[in-house]
Amino acid sequence: MPKVLAQGKTSECMRRANRQKILQQNGIDLYNSGAKVINCRLIGSCSVQLQVEGKASKANWREGQRSLPPHSPIKNLGFACQTQLMGDVKVTNFDGFWGEGSQVVWTPKG
């Protein structure tokens, strides 16, 4: 079973599990400031991004909006709700309303 390391917590999940659901089920706060209010409920419209190191699915069609400001396709970020976990991963969250900033909010270790 894949392991997810985020905010100092390690969680196990089924392969192809949704990253947003796994993080929320394990008490990881993935939203910065008011972004929680517009939680998209897994359809990709809230645009909250996280960095994932490890085995995760490739970007899908909904993530095309990563090329629109304030997002940047050059950053190694993906929408929290659109990533499926294919193996062990480490997750990092950055500042900014959407997680698009350059300052780390939390790392895999805490």
Side-chain angles (χ1 to χ4, degrees), residues 31-77:
Y31 296 101
N32 297 335
S33 69
K36 188 173 192 166
V37 174
I38 58 167
N39 179 347
C40 68
R41 310 292 190 274
L42 307 178
I43 61 171
S45 62
C46 77
S47 304
V48 171
Q49 302 179 107
L50 298 170
Q51 182 180 59
V52 174
E53 298 173 54
K55 296 182 179 182
S57 62
K58 301 286 183 208
N60 66 30
W61 65 271
R62 286 189 178 116
E63 291 194 275
Q65 63 193 22
R66 288 190 314 160
S67 61
L68 302 173
H71 305 297
S72 170
I74 1 179
K75 291 185 178 180
N76 185 24
L77 302 174

Side-chain angles (χ1 to χ4, degrees), residues 4-23:
V4 180
L5 179 59
Q7 210 173 27
K9 299 177 184 178
T10 301
S11 312
E12 286 190 344
C13 64
M14 299 298 291
R15 190 171 184 274
R16 301 193 71 79
N18 178 278
R19 175 176 47 170
Q20 178 184 10
K21 284 184 177 181
I22 296 303
L23 294 174

Side-chain angles (χ1 to χ4, degrees), residues 85-101:
L85 305 174
M86 309 305 281
D88 293 350
V89 296
K90 296 177 182 177
V91 182
T92 302
N93 185 20
F94 293 90
D95 67 338
F97 190 85
W98 310 111
E100 80 284 359

